[in-house]
Amino acid sequence: MLTDVAQLPFTDLCLFIVDDSPSDRATYIRWLQHTDHVRVAIQEMATGREALEACVITPPHCILVDNQLPDMSGLDFLEKVRHSNSASKAPLVFLTGQSNEEIAAKAIKLGAQDYFIKNTLSKEFLWRHIQQAVNELTSLKRIQALERQLNTILRSSGDGLMVVGTDGIIRFTNPASERLFHQPTEELLGTPFGYPLIKGKTREIAIRCQDTHVTPVEMRVVPIEWENEPAYLTSLRDLTERRKAEEERQRHETERQYAQRQESLGVLAGGIAHDFNNLLMAIVARAGLALRSLSPDSPAREHLHIIEKSGLRGGELANQMLTFAGQTQLDFQAINLQQFLKDLKSFLRSTVSKRITLTFNLSANLPPIRGDRSQLRQLIMNIVTNAAEAIGDREGTIQMSTSAINTSTQDLRHYHIMGDLPWGPCVSFKIQDSGSGIKPELIPKIFDPFFSTKFPGRGLGLAALLGIVRGHGAAIAVHSRIGQGTEFLFLFPTTHKPSPQNIPSLTLPKKPLSNSIPSKVLVIDDEEEVRTACSLILKEIGFDALVAQDGKAGDQIFEHYQDEIALVFLDLTMPHLDGGELAEKIRERAPDVPILVSSGYPEEEAMKHFAQSGINAFIQKPFQVEILIAKIQELTRIGVKGQK
């Protein structure tokens, strides 16, 4: 019994014995059939031709052939079987009756695995060499299969793989390396790699090709042996897509943080505007009361007019803060942007230097956008003014253009985008100047309040414009290069809805009307100066003022004096009970009493809190004395019986 037969890679071994001696064949068969673990299927042939034909039908695992055959020599058979398409790789054990070194050399040269003299053979000797021959062939097949698999892996790898010798010369490349270097393998092999190789370390390099294309690459180096010499396996991973994804992620994160900061600033701006309007209300109201008490020729009137005018201008600044916060009332209409810009042409030309060329490239047949004309006019004027300042005293151009684009297919990655980007078809409006440009790191800051690239900030500037754009459900995309100018791209969602009809406003009398019947007006405001100023105004026109510092106190006073109150004048934001809640309570008790609401917020925003209360009128702080008097007299004349 042989102890190593189990190592053969077959459970059924197909063996051809080609020998014209029946006794020799019988001996070999007897020896080979008494083996464990392996079943040997033996076919015996007496001629070389018979064996060649059998190889075509059933390729053997091994061939045992005698040199002396009746129709050809063993060497002839060996040459023929090696040139045929069947069994050409099967190991062949060559046998001869006498020792002949010349024949042995020829047999080995033609591909025989072993050469033996018959009278030296034994059972163990023959089987061991057959096993060795089959193992060698099997190992070769395995190596070849591994080589094919390795070649497939190397060629299909997305990473560039290169073998670089210790002398820095490239010995091997795969297709991914060709793509990274933009060169075929034939040009890369035998050339210097050109980058320092530090084994076991991962580092980033930039591959610069002849066409000036630069590719960021992550390089890993592992020491290996190549063709029996030490070398380095260099893995090159293209970082282009990773960088793009990281930049996109960073851009979204920056926009998210900026949006959160703007939202916080918006809340702050709204609160400041409310308190600021209350302060201005006291200033404007006191100035108005003083004007009413002075004679027409008093020299103090001019000073009071300036105080009143300055207070109202302060109110405009508060409104800018509310615009930044996105809380302004917008009069939306369907606007043809092409016609809108045509109407602005002459006005825009008059606002910029004659050294600046103002050009218009307006697309026809654009779908309308939904917008507020005055706000859009303010937006365009602000950007054009900024563009003219960026150009300065030298010659330059400001170009305005419109087009219809689709943001789902448009590449906007080189823009810094703020606002709500419309998805899909939209109308774009571009203002591009040839000014000095903005540094890339400053572009995200230009929408911050009081930020300026020229001198210390002086107002809300682009921050207010961002509020306008957001109010239109649109976006601003900015792109700029130092020395090459700046581009503002406004992206508006399209609309096919008709323009809403403007509701005519009530024309109030400019002069106070006399009031012969005493009445009470309940004034509810958390600012003492506002309550005092309103009380003085009411006294001017013959009303008694009842005042409350919060909603809870106002509710109690109204309950006590309900039958004597001709009008309730209340603020929106108050402690304990806000204006909306108080108005509902008043309406439950007295459905007919007029309610006048005041607030620093725009009417549209403020009136959201009074949807169920049936408010009669609204007045925005700060307001002039004459306007408040007209509102009160109009409401009391209509709402109180006997006051007509």
Side-chain angles (χ1 to χ4, degrees):
M1 182 183 297
L2 301 178
T3 59
D4 57 353
V5 293
Q7 299 178 12
L8 277 170
F10 308 102
T11 56
D12 292 287
L13 177 66
C14 180
L15 176 67
F16 284 6
I17 299 177
V18 187
D19 196 316
D20 61 342
S21 170
S23 61
D24 289 347
R25 295 200 304 269
T27 299
Y28 303 149
I29 291 171
R30 187 175 66 255
W31 286 352
L32 297 172
Q33 283 181 336
H34 291 81
T35 59
D36 292 337
H37 304 294
V38 177
R39 295 189 300 271
V40 182
I42 300 175
Q43 296 187 39
E44 48 182 315
M45 297 92 175
T47 66
R49 183 178 298 279
E50 184 181 359
L52 289 172
E53 292 175 354
C55 284
V56 174
I57 299 171
T58 307
H61 296 123
C62 184
I63 302 174
L64 189 65
V65 61
D66 185 21
N67 186 41
Q68 297 295 329
L69 298 175
D71 56 344
M72 63 184 72
S73 68
L75 294 174
D76 293 336
F77 174 81
L78 183 57
E79 185 174 6
K80 289 179 183 295
V81 79
R82 286 292 182 249
H83 285 85
S84 67
N85 292 327
S86 60
S88 61
K89 299 296 183 181
L92 192 144
V93 179
F94 198 80
L95 302 174
T96 182
Q98 56 186 0
S99 176
N100 187 320
E101 292 182 0
E102 184 179 351
I103 292 176
K106 288 182 179 179
I108 297 300
K109 186 177 181 180
L110 289 171
Q113 264 65 34
D114 284 305
Y115 172 86
F116 301 107
I117 300 173
K118 287 185 175 184
N119 58 15
T120 64
L121 279 178
S122 65
K123 174 182 177 181
E124 290 78 6
F125 191 71
L126 176 61
W127 179 250
R128 185 163 57 250
H129 283 276
I130 288 176
Q131 177 187 358
Q132 181 179 351
V134 173
N135 280 339
E136 287 179 0
L137 176 63
T138 305
S139 298
L140 178 62
K141 288 182 177 179
R142 286 175 179 169
I143 291 171
Q144 291 172 341
L146 287 173
E147 287 179 347
R148 288 193 297 271
Q149 292 172 4
L150 180 60
N151 186 58
T152 301
I153 292 172
L154 291 175
R155 291 193 167 277
S156 61
S157 174
D159 293 343
L161 297 173
M162 307 183 82
V163 175
V164 182
T166 54
D167 56 359
I169 301 301
I170 298 173
R171 307 292 175 81
F172 169 84
T173 65
N174 71 337
S177 298
E178 298 179 13
R179 293 191 292 270
L180 285 173
F181 285 87
H182 291 205
Q183 288 179 269
T185 297
E186 295 76 18
E187 295 181 8
L188 290 171
L189 293 178
T191 62
F193 180 61
Y195 298 91
L197 297 172
I198 304 174
K199 63 180 180 180
K201 185 176 180 181
T202 300
R203 57 192 292 259
E204 290 188 12
I205 62 173
I207 297 178
R208 300 181 183 276
C209 304
Q210 296 176 354
D211 59 358
T212 69
H213 181 78
V214 178
T215 304
V217 171
E218 181 183 75
M219 181 174 70
R220 295 173 180 160
V221 179
V222 179
I224 62 168
E225 186 176 290
W226 184 265
E227 297 179 348
N228 299 322
E229 292 183 359
Y232 298 102
L233 175 62
T234 304
S235 171
L236 304 170
R237 175 162 294 178
D238 190 345
L239 298 179
T240 303
E241 292 303 319
R242 186 194 297 180
R243 290 278 177 83
K244 288 181 180 178
E246 179 61 25
E247 289 173 1
E248 188 69 10
R249 187 199 66 78
Q250 185 62 39
R251 184 176 71 84
H252 285 306
E253 177 63 19
T254 301
E255 290 179 359
R256 185 188 67 81
Q257 292 178 358
Y258 187 85
Q260 287 180 339
R261 188 168 70 251
Q262 295 297 92
E263 183 179 357
S264 299
L265 287 172
V267 174
L268 177 64
I272 291 174
H274 174 264
D275 292 339
F276 190 36
N277 274 325
N278 283 332
L279 294 175
L280 294 172
M281 182 64 252
I283 295 171
V284 173
R286 292 295 183 129
L289 286 169
L291 283 169
R292 291 172 61 86
S293 65
L294 292 176
S295 61
D297 57 349
S298 173
R301 295 187 67 87
E302 181 181 356
H303 301 299
L304 291 171
H305 276 303
I306 292 175
I307 292 173
E308 185 182 46
K309 184 178 179 182
S310 298
L312 294 173
R313 286 182 61 188
E316 293 175 2
L317 177 59
N319 284 332
Q320 274 195 313
M321 296 170 70
L322 292 172
T323 299
F324 165 69
Q327 299 176 4
T328 52
Q329 179 183 4
L330 300 178
D331 180 18
F332 283 113
Q333 301 176 22
I335 296 175
N336 182 317
L337 195 57
Q338 179 190 19
Q339 187 59 48
F340 182 76
L341 290 170
K342 283 182 178 179
D343 296 340
L344 275 180
K345 270 186 182 182
S346 58
F347 179 70
L348 291 174
R349 287 189 188 278
S350 65
T351 60
V352 299
S353 168
K354 293 182 179 179
R355 298 173 64 88
I356 296 176
T357 302
L358 198 61
T359 62
F360 293 82
N361 183 17
L362 308 178
S363 298
N365 302 319
L366 286 177
I369 66 171
R370 182 171 175 266
D372 180 286
R373 290 182 175 275
S374 63
Q375 297 275 24
L376 289 178
R377 192 177 297 110
Q378 178 186 345
L379 182 149
I380 295 169
M381 281 299 305
N382 193 301
I383 296 297
V384 170
T385 301
N386 283 355
E389 289 180 357
I391 295 172
D393 296 332
R394 57 189 177 87
E395 293 184 352
T397 59
I398 300 175
Q399 183 178 26
M400 280 176 273
S401 58
T402 59
S403 64
I405 67 171
N406 192 316
T407 55
S408 62
T409 58
Q410 191 82 10
D411 186 5
L412 299 171
R413 285 179 296 179
H414 64 290
Y415 287 95
H416 179 78
I417 301 175
M418 297 299 300
D420 304 316
L421 181 65
W423 187 251
C426 64
V427 174
S428 74
F429 169 47
K430 183 191 297 184
I431 302 179
Q432 190 170 10
D433 65 64
S434 60
S436 55
I438 306 171
K439 293 179 180 179
E441 63 270 20
L442 294 181
I443 290 178
K445 299 180 180 180
I446 63 177
F447 297 101
D448 291 344
F450 301 100
F451 177 82
S452 174
T453 59
K454 306 176 188 68
F455 37 76
R458 58 181 179 180
L460 290 169
L462 291 178
L465 297 192
L466 181 58
I468 293 174
V469 169
R470 282 178 169 158
H472 284 73
I476 307 177
V478 185
H479 177 66
S480 183
R481 289 184 180 179
I482 294 296
Q484 299 184 25
T486 303
E487 176 184 328
F488 281 84
L489 181 66
F490 298 90
L491 301 166
F492 294 94
T494 58
T495 181
H496 297 284
K497 298 179 181 179
S499 303
Q501 297 297 320
N502 290 328
I503 300 174
S505 58
L506 179 65
T507 303
L508 300 174
K510 296 182 180 180
K511 294 183 179 180
L513 300 176
S514 61
N515 188 356
S516 57
I517 303 177
S519 300
K520 297 185 185 329
V521 173
L522 175 57
V523 179
I524 313 167
D525 199 295
D526 58 341
E527 287 292 330
E528 183 179 356
E529 286 296 330
V530 175
R531 296 195 301 270
T532 303
C534 289
S535 298
L536 293 172
I537 295 171
L538 290 167
K539 187 176 180 181
E540 281 271 331
I541 56 175
F543 284 97
D544 294 329
L546 301 172
V547 296
Q549 72 275 15
D550 57 45
K552 186 176 180 180
D555 183 42
Q556 294 172 351
I557 293 173
F558 183 82
E559 185 177 9
H560 186 74
Y561 291 97
Q562 177 176 332
D563 295 336
E564 302 177 48
I565 293 175
L567 175 85
V568 177
F569 181 40
L570 59 85
D571 189 22
L572 166 62
T573 307
M574 294 181 296
H576 304 308
L577 197 67
D578 67 27
E581 295 170 326
L582 177 58
E584 289 185 21
K585 285 179 169 291
I586 292 172
R587 274 285 167 261
E588 290 174 1
R589 298 193 186 101
D592 297 328
V593 66
I595 300 177
L596 172 61
V597 174
S598 72
S599 175
Y601 292 104
E603 181 175 359
E604 183 180 22
E605 179 66 23
M607 296 307 285
K608 292 178 182 178
H609 301 269
F610 299 94
Q612 308 298 325
S613 305
I615 298 304
N616 298 86
F618 173 85
I619 186 169
Q620 186 171 359
K621 297 177 181 178
F623 46 79
Q624 290 176 287
V625 172
E626 302 297 329
I627 293 178
L628 176 62
I629 290 174
K631 286 267 190 183
I632 292 173
Q633 291 182 328
E634 184 68 24
L635 290 173
T636 54
R637 185 173 65 247
I638 294 173
V640 180
K641 293 180 180 180
Q643 293 196 33
K644 293 185 180 180

